[in-house]
Every structure is written in structure tokens, then in C-alpha cells.
Amino acid sequence: MTDINRTQTISDRSTRAERTTRPDTAAEARDTARAFLSGLAPAPTEEAAENVVLVVSELVTNALRHAGGITGLRLTADRHTVEITVQDPSPSRPRPRHPDITGYEGGYGLTLVNFLARFVTVTPSPEGGKKICAALGI
């Protein structure tokens, strides 16, 4: 995992806290999200923190499986919201798939992200590929 930059968390979150990195695995991304959330004050609720970690995991896993990898993970937070931005090298927009109830092919990730997030946006990245941003309430 490569830390690209890190902004010190402001204890009252009157400004945005930020962490940008490039994890190699979904597990590293989850660890990064947990560490980021643990530095916020006031701390998010346990349920909100679990939702953020789950969305990070799903977006990173999708980028690894379907989009050729991860070129960046950015977490930002203010008093009310955490934004998760995953950048990947593929210009193709993610598309929902029918869930595979046998558990082999997945298909639940994007549906779950859309359910948990206040909003999800997909934008082309100036460096190529795309950025997927999901905002969750904390």
C-alpha cells in the first residue's frame, strides 16, 4: 500500500479530514478505512463505521475484479458525512449484475453500495479511467 498524502484530522471536523492511498488489496483498504475512522472526533457510530468499511470493501473489490485494479482510494469526512472515492484505470461505468445466490459470482456489491450510500457518482478521471464516489452519513 502506498500512502499518497495524509491530512491531519481536525478534532471538531470543522474542516474536512482526508486520507489518500493506493491499497493493493481489499483487506488493506478496510484497514485504512478503520484507521481513518478511528481518528475522527466525534467518532462515527458503530453502525456508520461498519457501513463505511463495507462500502470501501465493495468498491475496492469491484475495482480489483472488474476494472483492472485501483489507482487511488480517497477518504474524506466532515461532521456529518464520509466520502469514499475509488479510482480505477477502466473508463467503463460499473453496471449492476443479477446476484448469484450460489455465492460464486457475487453481484451484490453495487446494489449494497447504492443502498447504504446517500449518493453514488461515477465520473471520468482526468488521468484516465474513472472515479466512483459514495457518500455515507455518519
Side-chain angles (χ1 to χ4, degrees):
M1 173 171 55
T2 305
D3 276 340
I4 299 167
N5 65 41
R6 185 172 185 170
T7 302
Q8 184 68 32
T9 302
I10 306 300
S11 63
D12 66 0
R13 279 191 267 158
S14 57
T15 62
R16 294 174 72 87
E18 179 180 323
R19 171 105 189 248
T20 303
T21 187
R22 190 174 50 238
D24 295 318
T25 65
E28 285 182 6
R30 289 189 296 270
D31 290 345
T32 297
R34 287 185 190 105
F36 176 77
L37 294 168
S38 72
L40 299 178
T45 66
E46 185 177 334
E47 179 181 6
E50 289 173 5
N51 288 343
V52 168
V53 171
L54 181 56
V55 169
V56 165
S57 186
E58 292 298 333
L59 290 177
V60 167
T61 298
N62 284 350
L64 290 169
R65 279 189 177 173
H66 307 293
I70 298 165
T71 55
L73 168 64
R74 182 172 180 241
L75 303 168
T76 59
D78 62 22
R79 185 170 288 284
H80 305 288
T81 307
V82 170
E83 289 184 6
I84 303 151
T85 303
V86 173
Q87 187 172 344
D88 66 54
S90 173
S92 300
R93 294 181 63 83
R95 51 188 177 84
R97 298 180 306 134
H98 290 308
D100 176 8
I101 60 172
T102 64
Y104 292 107
E105 295 297 319
Y108 294 96
L110 195 55
T111 301
L112 186 58
V113 168
N114 283 317
F115 177 77
L116 294 173
R118 289 180 175 169
F119 66 83
V120 178
T121 61
V122 180
T123 56
S125 174
E127 302 87 19
K130 66 182 169 298
K131 293 181 182 182
I132 301 174
C133 179
L136 283 78
I138 52 171

